[in-house]
Amino acid sequence: MSSAQEPSPRERPAYERGTGFLLARLGSLVARSWGVFLGEHGLTQSQYTLLVALDEQGPVGQRQLARLVAVDARNVVAVLDALAARDLIERRAHEGDRRRRVVLLTAAGRALVAAVAGAADAEEDRLLRALSARDRTRLNHLLRQVYASDAAEERRP
């Protein structure tokens, strides 16, 4: 085998064939790629997560938003401050309780979420180019199933 050729799957070390290794390695590669991708749009993962949650849920209170994205309410404030500074979100007094604040997307925030979502689809297509559409759907289903099971396990006392 020349140095320019990749080893066949059987020549790879056993650990490289294990599901855990593959998930961890792909997770690391995707996280790095996703971070670069979001950075090109001027966003962090936390910022993008909050924007998408607001886009899906509409105006919500800060505490509820923190629960939706599984972040401590105190930690979400700095992320919201950064988004507000860029005019991507707005905080308003709650209509029914002036002591509470609700967070909502601005027009610029909605536009950014739409632009990033479209670009994210293209990035996902690039990442999964080796799979057919059917295999992509199946992979997503399996990953959601494993994730849901693991998340349920974490919630147990």
Side-chain angles (χ1 to χ4, degrees):
M1 174 175 71
S2 77
S3 61
Q5 290 178 321
E6 281 291 314
S8 72
R10 275 309 215 191
E11 295 171 322
R12 304 295 313 179
Y15 70 86
E16 287 188 1
R17 295 188 305 265
T19 303
F21 170 83
L22 291 169
L23 285 171
R25 181 71 175 129
L26 284 170
S28 176
L29 293 170
V30 170
R32 186 176 22 242
S33 173
W34 185 245
V36 169
F37 169 77
L38 287 177
E40 290 169 353
H41 295 278
L43 295 170
T44 65
Q45 176 68 41
S46 297
Q47 291 170 340
Y48 181 67
T49 302
L50 288 174
L51 290 173
V52 170
L54 286 169
D55 189 49
E56 291 176 351
Q57 299 293 318
V60 296
Q62 283 186 194
R63 287 185 189 274
Q64 182 182 359
L65 181 59
R67 278 193 303 276
L68 284 171
V69 298
V71 172
D72 186 286
R74 294 170 294 192
N75 296 334
V76 84
V77 172
V79 178
L80 291 174
D81 288 345
L83 294 172
R86 293 179 54 195
D87 194 34
L88 298 173
I89 62 143
E90 182 180 335
R91 294 173 175 129
R92 292 184 184 162
H94 187 278
E95 290 180 15
D97 183 352
R98 292 287 192 204
R99 297 170 296 176
R100 292 183 47 215
R101 313 265 294 155
V102 294
V103 182
L104 61 146
L105 285 178
T106 63
R110 282 189 300 280
L112 181 60
V113 169
V116 173
D121 288 344
E123 180 68 11
E124 185 173 293
D125 285 343
R126 185 199 62 76
L127 173 71
L128 299 176
R129 65 190 173 276
L131 301 178
S132 69
R134 182 177 180 195
D135 286 345
R136 290 177 190 195
T137 299
R138 182 73 179 138
L139 174 63
N140 183 274
H141 171 78
L142 292 170
L143 290 172
R144 285 186 290 135
Q145 191 174 353
V146 171
Y147 180 78
S149 173
D150 194 56
E153 188 73 24
E154 281 186 16
R155 288 191 295 265
R156 288 192 183 133

